[in-house]
Amino acid sequence: MFSGRSLLLLLHICTLMASSLALPFEQKGFWDFSMDGDGGDLTTIMMRDEEGSGIDGEDLPPDVPLCPFGCQCQLNVIQCSDLSLTAVPKEIPRDTKLLDLQNNRITELKENDFKGLANLYALSLVNNMISKVHPRSFTPLLRLKKLYFSHNLLTVVPQNLPPSLVELRIHDNRIKKVEKGTFSGLGSMNCIEMGGNPIQNSGFEPGAFKGLTLNYLRVSEAKLTGIPKDLPESLHELHLDNNQIQAIELEDMKRYKHLYRLGLGYNHIRMIENGSLSYVPNLRELHLENNRLSKVPKGLPEMKYLQVVYLHSNNISQVDIDDFCPRGFGIKRSFYNGISLYGNPVNYWEVQPATFRCVSDRLAIQFGNYRK
């Protein structure tokens, strides 16, 4: 876990939607967003304002807000992390925009815990022991955009999340079910990270994501055995790594034609039905590493914009000349800049050089030697 200061220094560096990289998404920190114009650069704020911690109110003018005991306060930023708190502190300044409560021992969110915090922009409750949330806990948070609730003991997604919410990170809890209407009224939401929960395909009720126009969804390290069929159609990134998915069937991808990046690494996939990938024509990045594929998936040459394909650590024993590139010129709009095939029982000297005729650079091909 990050310390409070490291967490804040990362705040202005990362953005919600990472640029398309060769490596799959990895959660690096919890404050991976900027203020989006609401308060300026946080590093500047931290350098400009002195820290406060449990200052006696008698020494301050009446219009200066108190800082909760033990916390550090810089203007609109309140850090109360790593204090072994068992409850949300009282007397949080009403103009607070960033509230950091991570790495404590909070077990419950009560009705009035956030009363008066209408200006709160981001809230981190990461790494507590929260198992109970009052249905009206978040009612006062009229402007909340970022809610980080990971590494707690939740069994369900909290009710009545703020309609203003843009990003929800709720991974590594104990959620087994997402009921219909769970995210109703959250039209501004574009990112949900809920990996590391013991949820199966049957745990997503029909209509669970109804009304959402998500760009990013991650349900990795769960107990999925197939690609869920009722996720938002708007998705640009879908990460289902580290599950128990065994196959991609023809209709599985039909709903997700806007995908740019698809993560299916570290599953049990043996078969990808012919024609399945034709439903994701805009795909830029495909991760199928550490599965049980015996051949290169069909349909890759027809994917005009595909640039990165991870196929390493499978059971691929043969690579044919037309597995990656189309035969005609002008069909492919973007050249490959990354193809990984190492860790497969295929010898690189048996693959014809023309197989990679639509690759931008020979260094983009990762072959290596196969070892049993």
Side-chain angles (χ1 to χ4, degrees):
M1 291 301 162
F2 287 96
S3 67
R5 180 166 294 279
S6 298
L7 177 148
L8 283 168
L9 290 176
L10 285 173
L11 178 58
H12 71 290
I13 297 175
C14 303
T15 56
L16 176 63
M17 298 299 295
S19 57
S20 181
L21 301 173
L23 293 175
F25 171 87
E26 247 182 80
Q27 181 70 26
K28 298 295 186 184
F30 298 103
W31 294 108
D32 56 347
F33 57 90
S34 66
M35 287 293 290
D36 301 334
D38 286 340
D41 180 79
L42 284 183
T43 303
T44 303
I45 293 173
M46 291 174 64
M47 296 296 291
R48 185 177 63 216
D49 295 280
E50 296 183 359
E51 297 178 352
S53 179
I55 299 174
D56 189 345
E58 295 180 1
D59 297 330
L60 297 173
D63 57 339
V64 176
L66 291 174
C67 184
F69 181 80
C71 301
Q72 297 179 352
C73 303
Q74 298 96 15
L75 196 58
N76 304 125
V77 180
I78 311 298
Q79 289 179 261
C80 300
S81 60
D82 302 276
L83 297 176
S84 298
L85 299 175
T86 57
V88 176
K90 305 297 182 183
E91 299 182 348
I92 298 172
R94 289 177 174 264
D95 61 351
T96 299
K97 290 189 175 180
L98 305 178
L99 178 57
D100 176 13
L101 293 169
Q102 70 172 325
N103 303 334
N104 282 293
R105 299 177 182 175
I106 300 170
T107 59
E108 178 183 359
L109 296 184
K110 300 177 181 178
E111 180 176 3
N112 294 319
D113 277 349
F114 305 112
K115 185 176 181 180
L117 300 183
N119 294 312
L120 195 64
Y121 176 92
L123 172 62
S124 177
L125 295 160
V126 173
N127 198 33
N128 277 277
M129 297 183 287
I130 300 170
S131 61
K132 184 178 180 181
V133 179
H134 192 281
R136 290 190 290 275
S137 288
F138 299 119
T139 301
L141 306 181
L142 303 178
R143 296 177 178 85
L144 191 71
K145 298 288 185 71
K146 317 281 185 175
L147 177 57
Y148 293 167
F149 224 134
S150 305
H151 297 278
N152 277 281
L153 303 177
L154 297 174
T155 57
V156 295
V157 179
Q159 299 179 26
N160 303 321
L161 294 171
S164 56
L165 205 60
V166 171
E167 179 179 347
L168 174 64
R169 298 193 183 272
I170 198 166
H171 57 85
D172 290 286
N173 276 274
R174 299 179 179 180
I175 298 170
K176 293 184 177 181
K177 188 175 183 180
V178 181
E179 299 179 351
K180 179 181 180 180
T182 293
F183 301 110
S184 62
L186 301 178
S188 299
M189 183 87 77
N190 63 32
C191 172
I192 295 180
E193 157 66 89
M194 59 182 306
N197 285 288
I199 191 166
Q200 302 177 358
N201 286 71
S202 59
F204 294 109
E205 289 189 357
F209 294 92
K210 186 177 181 180
L212 290 180
T213 54
L214 290 182
N215 288 325
Y216 179 100
L217 177 62
R218 187 178 183 89
V219 195
S220 299
E221 301 176 76
K223 294 186 177 181
L224 302 179
T225 56
I227 296 177
K229 294 181 171 61
D230 195 29
L231 304 179
E233 296 181 5
S234 57
L235 284 172
H236 289 169
E237 288 197 39
L238 176 59
H239 298 271
L240 302 174
D241 312 88
N242 288 283
N243 277 285
Q244 302 164 20
I245 299 172
Q246 300 180 20
I248 301 177
E249 299 177 352
L250 186 61
E251 299 295 312
D252 283 350
M253 304 306 302
K254 189 174 183 179
R255 186 177 174 87
Y256 311 123
K257 60 183 179 180
H258 299 295
L259 280 180
Y260 288 170
R261 183 185 291 183
L262 176 61
L264 291 167
Y266 295 86
N267 276 282
H268 304 159
I269 299 173
R270 296 179 181 271
M271 185 273 294
I272 299 178
E273 192 170 352
N274 291 349
S276 300
L277 297 178
S278 66
Y279 290 112
V280 285
N282 297 309
L283 204 66
R284 269 69 167 171
E285 200 167 316
L286 176 61
H287 293 259
L288 287 164
E289 71 275 12
N290 288 87
N291 276 284
R292 300 174 184 176
L293 296 171
S294 59
K295 59 184 179 180
V296 176
K298 298 294 183 183
L300 297 185
E302 287 73 44
M303 303 185 75
K304 298 180 180 180
Y305 304 101
L306 190 62
Q307 299 174 41
V308 175
V309 184
Y310 277 18
L311 290 168
H312 57 267
S313 301
N314 277 279
N315 297 319
I316 298 171
S317 58
Q318 181 177 344
V319 178
D320 295 329
I321 193 169
D322 293 324
D323 276 349
F324 293 99
C325 302
R327 293 198 172 198
F329 291 99
I331 296 176
K332 192 159 179 62
R333 304 291 180 86
S334 301
F335 277 68
Y336 288 104
N337 55 44
I339 295 177
S340 68
L341 284 162
Y342 64 87
N344 283 288
V346 57
N347 297 317
Y348 68 87
W349 56 83
E350 295 177 352
V351 180
Q352 298 186 45
T355 301
F356 304 111
R357 58 191 177 274
C358 60
V359 179
S360 60
D361 189 292
R362 64 184 179 85
L363 296 177
I365 306 166
Q366 302 174 34
F367 235 117
N369 295 321
Y370 175 70
R371 295 180 181 177
K372 290 186 179 180

